[in-house]
Amino acid sequence: MRRHYKRSINLKSILLASFFSVAIGTLFLWTGAQTIKLPFSQYLWNSVYSLCIGLGLFLNGTIFRNIEKRYISWVKWPVKSFFIALTVHLVYSSFIIIFFNWLWFIKISGNSVAHFLSYGWFIIIGEYISFFLISAIIYARSFFIEYREEAIQAEKLKQEAMGLQYQVMQNQVNPHFLFNALNVIGSLIDVDTEKAKSFIRELSLFYRELLLLKDTELVSVREELNFVKKYIFLQKIRFGDNFNVDIFIPEDMPGKLVPMSLQMMLENAVKHNVISKNEPLRVVMGKTDNGELFVENNLQPKSNVSGSNRIGLDNLRARYQYLTNKEMQISKNEHFFRVTIPLINIGSYAGE
């Protein structure tokens, strides 16, 4: 059904292009002859010639769609895209115009080049004007389609970002998290008052930063690591030596992150794995040779986990795909679980 519809659209486009080609060619014929009383054979000859030129120029659209997929982005590289498209179309259209004029007026009609140019310059200029009009329509259509898709995608990601930030906040204020935090405070008050005070202070700083990050689109590596370290401090109080995190990420790394990316991955490891004296959880946060970041933990999954973070990871994957054109990689085996994320280049994000 879809293929039939596509074929109908193509046939309709060809018929329209043929009609306009013959119509424009006829107007040029009348203008040059300054009369409409011409032999039928001349109309026929002119129509076939106009179809050759018109349908040849019409193929600009097909050529453009092929290069558009790989080299054109009006939103990210408007100037570069314009010159690539114009160069390709100008070279192709010049070939069509020169070839068919040579074929019809010199090869078939037997005119010399000089004789043809004495009256044919008017025809060639008209054909180049037609070429520029066709190209302008193609570029305008392509730009508005891409602009609309970018706007729809941006709005979708904005909604996903709000959902992701809400989920992170919800995870941190859910009864289990608060229950565990209050239990830690209660157990420390009588045993180590200073440590209890330190825990309460870090917990308040953690929530304050959480509220600040919820309205931020991107953060630096340093900002994200500072937030992660507050989360690690709280979990170390809770689990002690049964929870270990080694960070091998330079704080001055260039590039940006979606807020709470690393924290969510760390939280995912805590939530889904057994953490005990016999089965301590070890997490490594580092950078790959390609300049990407990863969070890896030994795998010792819990038998049942309530409120999976799968939606959060899927949202995070979609946002990094949109902002970097790279995939967020998730890999696992029976021994470890790893999530790798690309850093966001500010120039690419800004569309430069």
Side-chain angles (χ1 to χ4, degrees), residues 120-189:
W121 63 269
F122 173 74
I123 298 173
I124 293 175
I125 289 175
E127 289 166 353
Y128 270 104
I129 291 173
S130 300
F131 152 67
F132 282 113
L133 287 175
I134 292 171
S135 297
I137 293 170
I138 291 171
Y139 300 163
R141 179 178 179 275
S142 174
F143 171 79
F144 284 114
I145 288 175
E146 183 177 344
Y147 183 81
R148 184 183 64 182
E149 289 177 350
E150 287 281 334
I152 292 172
Q153 185 71 5
E155 183 61 29
K156 180 181 176 183
L157 284 170
K158 184 178 179 181
Q159 293 175 359
E160 288 178 349
M162 292 175 64
L164 176 63
Q165 291 159 353
Y166 173 75
Q167 183 181 0
V168 172
M169 292 190 67
Q170 189 181 47
N171 288 341
Q172 303 305 341
V173 298
N174 68 45
H176 292 292
F177 184 84
L178 290 177
F179 176 77
N180 291 328
L182 291 173
N183 270 346
V184 171
I185 295 170
S187 63
L188 287 175
I189 287 176

Side-chain angles (χ1 to χ4, degrees), residues 136-310:
I137 293 170
I138 291 171
Y139 300 163
R141 179 178 179 275
S142 174
F143 171 79
F144 284 114
I145 288 175
E146 183 177 344
Y147 183 81
R148 184 183 64 182
E149 289 177 350
E150 287 281 334
I152 292 172
Q153 185 71 5
E155 183 61 29
K156 180 181 176 183
L157 284 170
K158 184 178 179 181
Q159 293 175 359
E160 288 178 349
M162 292 175 64
L164 176 63
Q165 291 159 353
Y166 173 75
Q167 183 181 0
V168 172
M169 292 190 67
Q170 189 181 47
N171 288 341
Q172 303 305 341
V173 298
N174 68 45
H176 292 292
F177 184 84
L178 290 177
F179 176 77
N180 291 328
L182 291 173
N183 270 346
V184 171
I185 295 170
S187 63
L188 287 175
I189 287 176
D190 295 329
V191 178
D192 193 334
T193 306
E194 289 303 316
K195 203 168 187 179
K197 290 179 180 179
S198 178
F199 183 87
I200 294 171
R201 183 171 60 253
E202 289 295 326
L203 185 62
S204 65
L205 291 173
F206 176 79
Y207 272 107
R208 186 180 71 175
E209 193 154 346
L210 186 69
L211 292 171
L212 291 174
L213 287 176
K214 75 181 181 66
D215 296 321
T216 305
E217 290 188 8
L218 299 174
V219 295
S220 66
V221 174
R222 184 186 302 275
E223 289 171 318
E224 179 69 12
L225 287 177
N226 287 339
F227 182 65
V228 165
K229 288 172 183 176
K230 290 180 175 61
Y231 179 79
I232 293 172
F233 178 85
L234 297 175
Q235 298 304 326
K236 285 289 289 182
I237 297 282
R238 178 184 172 191
F239 295 110
D241 293 336
N242 301 327
F243 178 66
N244 296 288
V245 181
D246 293 315
I247 300 176
F248 301 103
I249 301 175
E251 291 186 347
D252 58 351
M253 281 189 72
K256 298 286 185 176
L257 292 165
V258 173
M260 299 173 280
S261 298
L262 298 179
Q263 185 272 337
M264 172 173 276
M265 295 175 200
L266 196 56
E267 180 185 333
N268 194 57
V270 171
K271 187 173 184 177
H272 289 79
N273 289 278
V274 174
I275 305 176
S276 65
K277 185 175 181 180
N278 294 328
E279 295 180 289
L281 183 67
R282 299 182 179 86
V283 182
V284 176
M285 305 174 72
K287 68 169 186 173
T288 67
D289 295 335
N290 296 328
E292 298 178 331
L293 304 184
F294 70 85
V295 177
E296 180 180 304
N297 61 272
N298 57 318
L299 196 60
Q300 40 202 38
K302 293 178 180 177
S303 56
N304 55 2
V305 179
S306 61
S308 173
N309 273 355
R310 185 68 196 179

Side-chain angles (χ1 to χ4, degrees), residues 41-165:
S41 59
Q42 193 165 351
Y43 277 113
L44 181 62
W45 185 93
N46 185 74
S47 296
V48 177
Y49 164 78
S50 298
L51 283 173
C52 291
I53 293 289
L55 292 179
L57 293 178
F58 172 73
L59 285 175
N60 269 308
T62 303
I63 293 173
F64 180 78
R65 283 190 291 274
N66 290 330
I67 66 169
E68 184 181 28
K69 297 174 184 176
R70 298 182 60 184
Y71 305 109
I72 302 294
S73 176
W74 298 111
V75 175
K76 293 182 179 180
W77 320 297
V79 177
K80 176 184 173 183
S81 297
F82 174 76
F83 279 108
I84 290 175
L86 184 62
T87 300
V88 172
H89 287 174
L90 189 59
V91 171
Y92 168 77
S93 297
S94 294
F95 170 77
I96 292 295
I97 291 170
I98 292 171
F99 173 76
F100 281 110
N101 278 291
W102 170 83
L103 179 65
W104 284 89
F105 290 100
I106 296 174
K107 191 69 176 176
I108 296 177
S109 299
N111 294 314
S112 65
V113 174
H115 177 67
F116 167 68
L117 291 178
S118 66
Y119 66 89
W121 63 269
F122 173 74
I123 298 173
I124 293 175
I125 289 175
E127 289 166 353
Y128 270 104
I129 291 173
S130 300
F131 152 67
F132 282 113
L133 287 175
I134 292 171
S135 297
I137 293 170
I138 291 171
Y139 300 163
R141 179 178 179 275
S142 174
F143 171 79
F144 284 114
I145 288 175
E146 183 177 344
Y147 183 81
R148 184 183 64 182
E149 289 177 350
E150 287 281 334
I152 292 172
Q153 185 71 5
E155 183 61 29
K156 180 181 176 183
L157 284 170
K158 184 178 179 181
Q159 293 175 359
E160 288 178 349
M162 292 175 64
L164 176 63
Q165 291 159 353

